[in-house]
Amino acid sequence: MPDPTVPPTPPVPLDALLARADLGLRRIAGPADPAVVLHWAHTSEMADPYPYLLGGELLLSAGVHIPDGAGAGYFDAYVSRIVAAGGAALGFGVAPVHDTVPGALVEACEMHGLPLLEVPPRTTFSAVARALWQLMAQARTAELRRVTEAQQSLATAAARPNPVPSVLQQLARRLGGRAVLYGPEGTRIAAAGPDPGEAVRTALAKLAEVVRPSGEEPSPASASDTVAGLRLVAHALGNGEGFVLGTAAPQRDAGDHTIASVAAVLLSLLTGERHSGSGAGRSSALVRLLLGAAPAEVAPLLGEDRWRVVHGRPDGRVAPDPVAASALGAALGSSLVDVAGEVVRVLVPDGRTVERVQGWTLGVSAAASPRDWPAADTQAARALARARATRTPLLRHGDRPAALTDLVPPAEAAAHARALLAPIEQSPALVDTLRTWLSLHGSWDRTAVALDVHRNTVRQRVARCAALLDADLDDPDVRMELWFALRTP
């Protein structure tokens, strides 16, 4: 299934392919319409290519299928079948079968409005297809860059003091149109971008009613329409409160839908937060912490007594950004989210069950009160490391107490750990590698997976630890002592 957060590869204008001087293509029939676009190239010598076309192709042919003495009727039927299949253009190679493009083919393409390109003898069909793929790759890169920049600007806008208008302003600017937020009763809460006129305003408001939950039957998540040359889209925000995002903009690039979807996610979080009043509680908690209050004193402002810490890492090698982190928080039912390098940390109320999230590997701590949150953070980190090593989508920290930890006073355990690990404490990479390697029973491959490094890197780091610590890591007693030190807070 395609990734809904990534825009599809945009088509390439036919004029862009004609502009490639190295190909030497020449349009000899059909409309010179800049709106004609190509989705792919396909070579066929079938007399009836209809069954083999999907639509949007540049069909390439050297005319092998043309019988001797073919007349206007043959070419008319041939071109009409290409048009019926949705072919975008026809490229005819004048070598090696034909010296020139048949005049009857030119007339048929002109009559049916199909662009006809003459492919010179020096240009192979493979070169034409390769040039089209190159143009498509360039277009996709540009579109991905545009979408990425829009995501970053929307996330920045969401962090401003007045986030909802800021997000709408960024969305309107990125789409080149109008963005409107409607409330649960259908009233317009905020808007940004040029006023499209009464007809468009009325149509967009009616479209918002289509997606607003009514409680009687399921409503669509989005709906679209076209009015006065503008593409209207309404998105039901995912907070379930009846807020709707509406946009009115020219039909442009494939990434517009992705950009609007990102804005809808952010507005879902913002409107849900404002509607419930929980945002004010979190703001108050943050201010009190910055002014010196203890976590246990401000935790009641968050609405729960006990929480779980969840560490999440996206599958693959993509580092999480604020938008992805917010989406993970929304899936877990919490907006208390922090992006820490390649890991997203989320505070989830104990009463909410943490389930698997598609595309993420999660480590979950035991339920903890505020004073124990640092320990819960460590639990979640270890659970995530083991989950990645064992390729498990979600792993929870067990509630079994650590007997050795209970037997040694915390201060003495911490002093012993600092003394034992002093030779490697200045290298976080060595400490993390040794901890992960020991937790996975000395498995090189699983440690490499957990740390996202090569297994030879793991071997080199572990050997370096053994040398600096002057320890025999094959000795189980040594491993046990090091593991105890590494687990000491």
Side-chain angles (χ1 to χ4, degrees):
M1 294 293 293
D3 186 345
T5 64
V6 178
T9 300
V12 173
L14 175 59
D15 289 347
L17 190 66
L18 289 170
R20 288 283 296 257
D22 57 318
L23 299 177
L25 303 178
R26 186 168 65 95
R27 178 164 35 207
I28 59 177
D33 185 358
V36 176
V37 295
L38 307 176
H39 290 266
W40 39 70
H42 178 66
T43 301
S44 175
E45 297 298 342
M46 303 297 293
D48 181 12
Y50 181 95
Y52 310 98
L53 300 181
L54 298 176
E57 296 95 343
L58 168 63
L59 178 62
L60 298 169
S61 172
V64 176
H65 59 87
I66 301 175
D68 294 336
Y74 176 86
F75 291 105
D76 180 75
Y78 176 67
V79 173
S80 66
R81 293 291 282 173
I82 298 175
V83 173
L90 173 64
F92 192 89
V94 296
V97 180
H98 298 269
D99 295 330
T100 60
V101 180
L105 177 60
V106 175
E107 294 176 1
C109 288
E110 193 70 40
M111 181 178 64
H112 288 280
L114 180 69
L116 175 62
L117 313 183
E118 180 187 73
V119 183
R122 63 180 176 83
T123 301
T124 64
F125 289 171
S126 296
V128 175
R130 183 175 61 227
L132 179 59
W133 304 148
Q134 290 172 348
L135 291 171
M136 293 178 72
Q138 294 171 5
R140 178 172 176 79
T141 299
E143 189 71 352
L144 287 172
R145 184 181 299 113
R146 185 176 79 92
V147 170
T148 300
E149 292 173 352
Q151 289 177 336
Q152 293 172 346
S153 67
L154 288 169
T156 300
R160 290 173 182 164
N162 199 9
V164 171
S166 298
V167 169
L168 291 175
Q169 289 171 5
Q170 277 295 327
L171 178 61
R173 186 170 74 86
R174 295 290 174 174
L175 298 183
R178 180 81 163 172
V180 183
L181 177 64
Y182 298 97
E185 297 79 19
T187 57
R188 190 182 69 181
I189 295 178
D195 187 351
E198 179 64 27
V200 175
R201 289 199 306 269
T202 302
L204 189 58
K206 290 182 178 178
L207 200 62
E209 294 299 322
V210 174
V211 301
R212 179 173 289 107
S214 62
E216 299 175 357
E217 57 183 25
S219 301
S222 63
S224 61
D225 195 4
T226 301
V227 176
L230 296 178
R231 177 74 167 176
L232 311 185
V233 183
H235 300 266
L237 301 190
N239 53 31
E241 302 290 346
F243 290 89
V244 176
L245 169 65
T247 60
Q251 182 72 23
R252 299 198 310 160
D253 300 313
D256 287 347
H257 176 73
T258 303
I259 295 172
S261 298
V262 171
V265 171
L266 290 172
L267 290 171
S268 296
L269 296 172
L270 293 171
T271 53
E273 179 177 298
R274 185 176 67 176
H275 189 70
S276 65
S278 60
R282 283 191 290 275
S283 177
S284 178
L286 176 60
V287 170
R288 296 189 189 188
L289 283 174
L290 293 175
L291 295 180
E297 296 177 14
V298 302
L301 294 172
L302 303 179
E304 298 286 343
D305 294 328
R306 291 169 63 81
W307 297 71
R308 296 181 187 273
V309 179
V310 178
H311 280 212
R313 184 164 176 175
D315 298 341
R317 296 179 179 270
V318 180
D321 56 22
V323 175
S326 296
L328 175 62
L332 296 176
S334 174
S335 57
L336 298 174
V337 179
D338 172 50
V339 181
E342 296 182 342
V343 174
V344 176
R345 302 188 299 177
V346 186
L347 268 178
V348 180
D350 182 28
R352 187 179 296 274
T353 303
V354 178
E355 302 289 353
R356 292 177 52 181
V357 177
Q358 185 69 31
W360 290 83
T361 301
L362 304 179
V364 186
S365 76
S369 58
R371 67 177 183 179
D372 295 324
W373 283 352
D377 186 49
T378 302
Q379 293 173 359
R382 292 171 182 166
L384 175 62
R386 294 186 64 82
R388 296 189 68 242
T390 57
R391 302 181 186 275
T392 304
L394 183 148
L395 193 65
R396 306 178 193 275
H397 176 79
D399 293 328
R400 181 179 62 85
L404 287 177
T405 304
D406 294 339
L407 295 175
V408 181
E412 295 182 16
H416 174 73
R418 285 194 299 270
L420 184 61
L421 301 175
I424 63 172
E425 65 177 355
Q426 299 301 320
S427 176
L430 292 181
V431 174
D432 290 344
T433 300
L434 182 59
R435 179 186 293 111
T436 305
W437 182 73
L438 290 173
S439 73
L440 298 174
H441 311 292
S443 171
W444 306 109
D445 292 331
R446 292 166 64 192
T447 304
V449 171
L451 297 176
D452 199 16
V453 298
H454 196 275
R455 68 194 307 270
N456 288 342
T457 301
V458 176
R459 288 183 177 275
Q460 293 168 2
R461 290 180 181 176
V462 172
R464 181 64 175 163
C465 289
L468 292 174
L469 297 171
D470 191 21
D472 180 7
L473 297 184
D474 291 328
D475 187 331
D477 291 333
V478 173
R479 290 195 185 193
M480 181 184 67
E481 188 175 9
L482 287 172
W483 178 243
F484 177 81
L486 288 165
R487 293 186 68 228
T488 301

